Amino acid sequence: MEEKHNERIKRLYNDVYYDLVTIKIPLANNIVLDRENTRAKLRLGSCKKIKKIGKIEYHIELSNKLRKLNDREIKSVIAHELIHTCPDCMNHGIIWKEYSKIANAKLGYNVERCTNIEGLNIDVEEKQYKYKIYCENCNFVTYRMKKTRITNSPENYRCPECRGKIEVIKL
């Protein structure tokens, strides 16, 4: 079963890569599809930019939670991570959002900044969050388990959605 899942992921990865290049999304050439991540609890994928002598590689890890998703949902997660390999797209900024909109419109993907993980039996309530971070303007909410720069100095940060002022509440 393990080998069949890996083959499925490789096939879907190749399909998505081809689809994105076909619609002129400027993906990097040096992408490594890493091993399956069995430790990730809340994320379905990640893209890391690794600088090596004389070159840059992008390493994409996909969660084993993808096993529970259908091909279309997996393709959306793969597309999300592949778009991070485009120039100036390691964050979810304006350029990343534009490429995501293009992929969604032309390919029918559902690439979003955050994936809805309902139905994957991930027990978010199990986590003991200590901080709630929210935007007064658009009501964006996120949580942190530990002290971070943003929890220590929220006045130095803005909402990732609307650039509004954020507040931190200790739970």
Side-chain angles (χ1 to χ4, degrees):
M1 190 67 163
E2 180 69 29
E3 191 58 37
K4 285 184 182 179
H5 176 70
N6 289 340
E7 289 173 11
R8 175 182 178 217
I9 292 296
K10 286 177 188 173
R11 176 180 50 81
L12 295 173
Y13 171 87
N14 290 333
D15 290 349
V16 174
Y17 188 92
Y18 176 79
D19 288 347
L20 293 175
V21 169
T22 300
I23 61 169
K24 309 272 191 272
I25 304 250
L27 302 178
N29 294 323
N30 43 351
I31 303 170
V32 177
L33 185 58
D34 273 346
R35 62 175 167 63
E36 183 178 67
N37 187 330
T38 58
R39 295 178 303 139
K41 302 292 184 211
L42 297 175
R43 69 172 185 237
L44 297 178
S46 70
C47 179
K48 295 177 183 124
K49 184 177 184 179
I50 299 174
K51 295 179 182 178
K52 295 192 173 187
I53 299 172
K55 70 177 184 173
I56 295 173
E57 285 183 350
Y58 295 89
H59 288 250
I60 293 177
E61 277 187 357
L62 300 171
S63 170
N64 66 339
K65 303 232 181 288
L66 293 181
R67 294 171 183 264
K68 299 178 181 180
L69 301 179
N70 64 41
D71 285 2
R72 182 183 159 116
E73 292 167 327
I74 294 172
K75 282 184 170 186
S76 292
V77 172
I78 293 170
H80 174 118
E81 301 309 334
L82 281 173
I83 292 171
H84 281 304
T85 71
C86 297
D88 300 317
C89 287
M90 280 307 289
N91 58 19
H92 297 111
I94 295 169
I95 300 169
W96 184 91
K97 287 177 183 173
E98 187 59 34
Y99 290 143
S100 296
K101 284 180 189 174
I102 292 168
N104 291 343
K106 292 187 175 183
L107 302 171
Y109 291 153
N110 186 25
V111 179
E112 297 175 335
R113 190 179 70 81
C114 292
T115 302
N116 182 352
I117 55 177
E118 285 182 38
L120 292 180
N121 298 324
I122 298 172
D123 191 2
V124 178
E125 299 303 318
E126 222 175 82
K127 299 280 185 186
Q128 295 298 315
Y129 293 110
K130 293 181 182 172
Y131 302 94
K132 177 180 179 180
I133 301 166
Y134 75 96
C135 175
E136 297 172 340
N137 189 41
C138 72
N139 297 320
F140 172 82
V141 176
T142 188
Y143 297 89
R144 294 289 183 271
M145 295 177 71
K146 302 182 208 174
K147 275 191 172 189
T148 63
R149 285 185 227 157
I150 195 169
T151 59
N152 288 336
S153 304
E155 66 277 2
N156 295 335
Y157 295 88
R158 294 283 178 189
C159 172
E161 293 294 319
C162 73
R163 308 297 298 152
K165 182 180 176 185
I166 59 167
E167 293 291 328
V168 175
I169 298 174
K170 186 164 179 164
L171 301 175

